[in-house]
């Protein structure tokens, strides 16, 4: 039997099973009309994911410490992004145009912004396109394209939107022949820091560590420049796996793994690439990473706060987490900035959150902990529910 | 227009059948095709081919659910189109990853040849999927029927990426066991 036999046979499974799977999106739970549940699933394949501001929260620890004030068992369950296909007018410009054609080549958005300081200069203009599922029309717009410093424009380029520059990835790019080719095309030693990794035992993820050996590891990998690119044999080999984030490459928390059986595998270009660097080099790199590494906690994919919605103001909302605290005096009032269309549309288009409700806010920017706790870069707001075990969840 | 009326149009060989199919299920089929092909113009062509195939199939067919009928055709046409497109190329995106994962469901002792009895396999998959929890079933179908990425499933189902991955792995292991027990591997 081949995997394709299973894939083909799956095509014939009963309609009710497929329909049930399609209708299980959170959009349905938001009591949108039935067609919107479908639109929601389409949103996930057609529209880009919400644009993530590439800033690492400087106060991950502050936020963790805040949690120690909570009653035992309290745990804010990070809700997934709302799977809603927003009407065209409620989309950011960046969400509207996920595809573009430049110099006859197709690119797809990575939905991540890049600072102008990392760009080399304008190299031309492109035709960006997006699909409005509500009117079933393709919308087009001409936008300027910029080269990214150190990065081959045939693989990645930046497009200028009103909101800023966004990284686009070449569609169906040819696979690099060697590790050296990929490293050279993307200037990986400069654009990709190898800092946080976890131990992998098969599919199991072990402890997380932080290392400062990035330069040394890239140096060692330069010695493997001739390593050929291959199709993945297995995703689940033992070794270590770096969580990699790069503004230049438009990626956040992708994986780059070194396996004990001698491979470097990565999904940083979306496709799974595997380079056969040999067991000896892999062993050396794993030792370099582990030497002097300190234990750390993995960063969450999305940061959240939860609490009672106290006020809906002009450009902000106030969320008070006293209800979750052991002691009333420990409660914090967060000022969540709401200029961003992504949070405004939760408030204004979806509606449903009223003063006094328990809400969960996801944010991808900063939580500033000064005299006031200010949440910047909030991207979604949903009604939460306090479970009997103390967890705050976003209802199914 | 109701399914029965659209089917009637096909049986009457009225070209309005295609127009009505497009109106009722065009959006759905486009989503299915796009999920697999990740290219708008390819998806558009797959959907157009779907109507042609449906035109050739009805009559004699009278599908119970047009949505399921069209969805299945679109999926298969998209898979074929992708296979052709990727022939000779390495990589292959989400589909290649999904196939790699499904390969884990095949017992080591299997001879690796094409499996001829697709109907028996389909029936086994139907019965296997019905025994899964709704959550595990949803994640499995989204991954291997719609070929959605792990990230997309995580977002759609409000789960973490690691939860989706571990759920898929458990389901694949169970599938391998079920297929082995039912004698699919020699």
């Amino acid at each position: 039997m081949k995997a394709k036999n299973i894939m083909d046979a799956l095509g014939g499974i009963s309609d009710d099973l497929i329909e049930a799977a399609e209708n299980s999106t959170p959009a349905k739970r938001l009591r949108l009309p039935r067609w919107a549940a479908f639109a929601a699933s389409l949103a996930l394949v057609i529209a880009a994911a919400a644009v993530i501001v590439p800033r690492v929260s400087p106060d991950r620890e502050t936020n963790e410490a805040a949690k120690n004030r909570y009653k035992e068992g309290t745990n804010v369950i990070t809700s997934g992004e709302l799977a809603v296909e927003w009407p065209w007018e409620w989309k950011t410009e960046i969400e509207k145009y996920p595809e573009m054609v430049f110099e006859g080549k197709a690119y797809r958005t990575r939905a991540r912004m890049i600072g102008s300081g990392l760009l080399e200069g304008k190299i031309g203009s492109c035709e960006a396109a997006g699909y409005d599922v509500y009117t079933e029309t393709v919308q087009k717009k001409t936008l300027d394209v910029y080269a990214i410093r150190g990065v081959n424009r045939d693989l990645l380029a930046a497009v200028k939107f009103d909101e800023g520059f966004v990284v686009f990835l070449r569609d169906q790019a040819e696979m690099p022949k060697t590790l050296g080719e990929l490293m050279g095309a993307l200037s990986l030693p400069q654009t990709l820091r190898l800092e946080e990794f976890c131990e992998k035992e098969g599919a199991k993820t072990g402890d997380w560590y932080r290392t400062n050996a990035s330069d040394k590891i890239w140096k060692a990998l330069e010695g493997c420049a001739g390593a050929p690119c291959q199709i993945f044999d297995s995703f689940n080999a033992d070794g270590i796996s770096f969580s990699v984030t790069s503004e230049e490459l438009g990626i956040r928390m992708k994986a780059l793994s070194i396996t004990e059986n001698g491979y470097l595998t990565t999904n940083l270009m979306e496709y799974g690439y595997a380079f056969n660097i040999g067991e000896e080099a892999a062993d050396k790199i794993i030792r370099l990473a582990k030497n002097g590494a300190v234990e750390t906690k993995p960063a969450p994919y999305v940061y959240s706060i939860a609490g009672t919605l106290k006020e809906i103001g002009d450009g902000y909302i106030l969320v008070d987490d006293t209800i979750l605290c052991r002691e009333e005096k420990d409660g914090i009032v967060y000022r969540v900035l709401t200029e961003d269309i992504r949070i405004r549309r939760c408030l204004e288009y979806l509606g449903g959150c009223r003063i006094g409700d328990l809400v969960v806010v996801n944010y991808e920017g900063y939580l500033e902990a000064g005299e006031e706790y200010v949440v910047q870069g909030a991207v979604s707001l949903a009604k939460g529910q306090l479970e009997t075990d103390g967890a705050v969840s976003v209802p199914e | 227009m109701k399914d029965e009326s659209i089917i009637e149009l096909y049986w009457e060989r009225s070209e309005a059948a295609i127009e009505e199919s497009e109106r009722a299920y065009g959006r759905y089929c486009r989503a299915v095709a796009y999920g697999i092909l990740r290219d708008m113009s390819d998806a558009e062509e797959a959907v157009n081919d779907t109507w042609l195939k449906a035109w050739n199939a009805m009559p004699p067919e009278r599908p119970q659910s047009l949505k399921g009928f069209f969805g299945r055709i679109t999926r298969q046409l998209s898979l074929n189109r992708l296979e052709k497109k990727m022939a000779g190329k390495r990589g292959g995106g989400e589909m290649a990853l999904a196939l790699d994962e499904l390969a884990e469901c095949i017992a080591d002792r299997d001879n690796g040849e094409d499996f001829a009895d697709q109907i028996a396999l389909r029936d086994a998959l139907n019965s296997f999927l019905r025994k899964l929890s709704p959550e595990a079933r949803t994640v499995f179908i989204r991954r291997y029927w719609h070929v959605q990425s792990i990230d997309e499933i995580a977002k759609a189902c409000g789960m973490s990426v690691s939860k989706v991955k571990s759920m898929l792995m458990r389901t694949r292991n169970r599938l391998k066991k079920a297929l082995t027990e039912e004698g699919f591997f020699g």
Side-chain angles (χ1 to χ4, degrees):
Chain A
M1 190 184 292
K2 290 178 176 168
K4 186 150 186 318
N5 294 133
I6 300 178
M7 188 59 98
D8 287 343
L10 272 169
I13 59 169
S14 301
D15 295 340
D16 63 307
L17 294 173
I18 299 161
E19 196 147 342
E22 287 166 352
N23 288 337
S24 66
T25 65
K28 190 168 164 240
R29 298 173 208 133
L30 288 162
R31 292 188 195 157
L32 290 174
R34 195 175 156 70
W35 55 265
F38 158 72
S41 63
L42 193 68
L44 296 166
V45 293
I46 289 185
V51 169
I52 296 160
V53 182
R55 288 181 294 184
V56 177
S57 174
D59 50 8
R60 194 190 300 171
E61 297 310 316
T62 310
N63 203 15
E64 284 303 314
K67 301 278 158 54
N68 295 336
R69 301 170 291 116
Y70 288 174
K71 293 170 194 159
E72 202 163 334
T74 299
N75 171 29
V76 177
I77 308 218
T78 304
S79 59
E81 261 175 54
L82 296 175
V84 176
E85 172 59 23
W86 302 101
W88 192 253
E89 64 273 20
W90 279 105
K91 283 185 181 184
T92 64
E93 282 296 293
I94 297 164
E95 290 168 338
K96 284 177 181 171
Y97 302 101
E99 295 181 358
M100 67 99 163
V101 176
F102 175 61
E103 293 178 339
K105 296 164 199 147
Y107 291 72
R108 194 173 298 280
T109 186
R110 302 206 101 173
R112 294 189 51 79
M113 299 192 77
I114 178 169
S116 57
L118 296 172
L119 303 177
E120 272 179 350
K122 187 177 157 183
I123 50 175
S125 57
C126 68
E127 183 164 79
Y131 190 66
D132 179 353
V133 293
Y134 286 74
T135 58
E136 297 188 356
T137 51
V138 175
Q139 306 280 346
K140 291 186 174 171
K141 191 171 189 173
T142 302
L143 295 166
D144 289 340
V145 182
Y146 288 70
I148 300 168
R149 191 181 300 155
V151 176
N152 185 330
R153 67 176 72 169
D154 274 345
L155 294 177
L156 291 162
V159 172
K160 188 181 184 189
F161 288 85
D162 291 343
E163 296 126 308
F165 296 91
V166 175
V167 180
F168 276 67
L169 170 71
R170 174 80 183 280
D171 220 9
Q172 311 268 348
E174 280 212 11
M175 215 164 179
K177 290 184 185 64
T178 60
L179 178 60
E181 193 180 313
L182 184 72
M183 285 171 67
L186 302 176
S187 302
L188 288 182
Q190 288 77 45
T191 55
L192 198 72
R193 305 295 298 164
L194 302 173
E195 287 170 336
E196 285 189 7
F197 69 90
C198 65
E199 289 179 314
K200 294 267 286 182
E201 200 178 305
K204 256 177 41 199
T205 299
D207 292 333
W208 281 82
Y209 297 91
R210 172 166 271 278
T211 172
N212 55 11
S214 184
D215 292 335
K216 287 182 194 157
I217 294 170
W218 281 120
K219 189 94 193 137
L221 284 169
E222 273 165 15
C224 311
C229 189
Q230 301 183 339
I231 302 281
F232 265 168
D233 286 318
S234 163
F235 288 95
N236 298 325
D238 292 357
I240 60 171
S241 182
F242 287 93
S243 170
V244 288
T245 294
S246 162
E247 194 173 334
E248 291 96 321
L249 307 183
I251 55 169
R252 178 161 180 265
M253 296 169 90
K254 293 270 180 194
L256 186 151
S257 307
I258 306 290
T259 65
E260 284 170 10
N261 60 0
Y263 284 87
L264 179 154
T265 65
T266 182
N267 61 351
L268 67 92
M269 299 297 280
E270 302 304 336
Y271 296 110
Y273 290 167
F275 298 94
N276 188 350
I277 58 172
E279 285 181 22
E280 203 178 312
D283 179 58
K284 182 180 172 188
I285 291 161
I286 293 171
R287 274 189 287 112
L288 279 172
K290 286 187 176 172
N291 187 19
V294 289
E295 214 166 308
T296 185
K297 278 186 188 167
Y301 196 74
V302 181
Y303 295 91
S304 322
I305 58 151
T308 312
L309 184 61
K310 295 280 279 188
E311 188 180 327
I312 301 177
D314 187 13
Y316 70 92
I317 55 171
L318 297 183
V319 178
D320 179 350
D321 74 357
T322 306
I323 188 172
L324 307 176
C325 295
R326 278 194 209 102
E327 312 243 356
E328 205 172 305
K329 65 175 174 53
D330 288 338
I332 287 176
V333 178
Y334 298 92
R335 175 182 288 267
V336 180
L337 303 184
T338 58
E339 289 100 346
D340 193 310
I341 190 173
R342 290 172 292 166
I343 181 109
R344 267 200 297 121
R345 62 195 178 191
C346 297
L347 281 163
E348 295 170 28
Y349 174 70
L350 286 183
C353 288
R354 313 237 177 284
I355 305 290
D357 283 347
L358 181 64
V359 293
V360 177
V361 175
N362 287 347
Y363 64 99
E364 291 162 348
Y366 293 111
L367 168 59
E368 279 176 19
E371 275 182 30
E372 202 178 21
Y373 282 78
V374 179
V375 177
Q376 304 213 31
V379 291
S380 74
L381 169 88
K383 222 165 161 173
Q385 192 170 290
L386 199 53
E387 308 287 346
T388 44
D389 62 358
V392 181
S393 66
V394 174
E396 295 285 304
Chain B
M1 192 179 268
K2 283 190 176 165
D3 278 5
E4 295 87 329
S5 313
I6 299 176
I7 292 168
E8 273 321 308
L9 288 173
Y10 276 100
W11 276 69
E12 290 162 19
R13 311 310 285 159
S14 161
E15 285 181 16
I18 292 178
E19 209 172 293
E20 293 300 332
S21 303
E22 168 67 42
R23 186 168 299 145
Y25 297 110
R27 201 188 273 186
Y28 171 71
C29 291
R30 220 160 269 124
V32 169
Y34 189 89
I36 294 167
L37 293 160
R38 307 285 160 150
D39 181 286
M40 274 190 215
S41 58
D42 280 352
E44 199 59 50
E45 284 185 43
V47 174
N48 288 337
D49 291 349
T50 301
W51 309 142
L52 180 66
K53 194 140 190 169
W55 181 262
N56 291 334
M58 292 185 285
E61 289 222 39
R62 266 188 193 279
Q64 283 193 327
S65 151
L66 264 188
K67 184 181 176 190
F69 180 68
F70 288 145
R72 265 197 298 277
I73 296 178
T74 308
R75 179 181 183 271
Q76 195 54 51
L77 289 172
S78 304
L79 291 178
N80 295 348
R81 186 174 279 268
L82 186 71
E83 195 174 13
K84 216 178 276 174
K85 201 171 165 182
M86 297 316 295
K89 287 188 190 171
R90 289 181 290 178
E94 216 52 61
M95 175 58 70
L97 298 178
L99 283 172
D100 271 359
E101 293 166 13
L102 279 179
E104 292 172 21
C105 304
I106 296 164
D108 299 334
R109 66 165 185 273
D110 187 77
N111 58 16
E113 285 173 13
D114 262 330
F115 186 73
D117 196 350
Q118 286 295 98
I119 294 175
L121 184 55
R122 180 202 66 196
D123 292 345
L125 287 168
N126 262 327
S127 105
F128 169 76
L129 288 168
R130 288 196 192 283
K131 287 178 202 147
L132 293 177
S133 71
E135 201 175 33
R137 189 164 56 223
T138 294
V139 169
F140 189 87
I141 289 174
R142 280 178 177 274
R143 180 68 178 147
Y144 301 117
W145 200 95
H146 289 282
V147 202
Q148 290 183 343
S149 71
I150 306 286
D151 277 356
E152 285 165 349
I153 299 167
K155 283 170 190 160
C157 300
M159 295 176 191
S160 67
V161 166
S162 57
K163 185 173 177 190
V164 173
K165 280 186 188 166
S166 62
M167 198 177 261
L168 282 171
M169 176 168 295
R170 275 199 302 274
T171 310
R172 286 197 301 269
N173 289 341
R174 285 182 65 182
L175 177 59
K176 182 176 181 177
K177 194 162 168 259
L179 292 177
T180 306
E181 282 169 0
E182 291 194 32
F184 277 87
F185 306 118

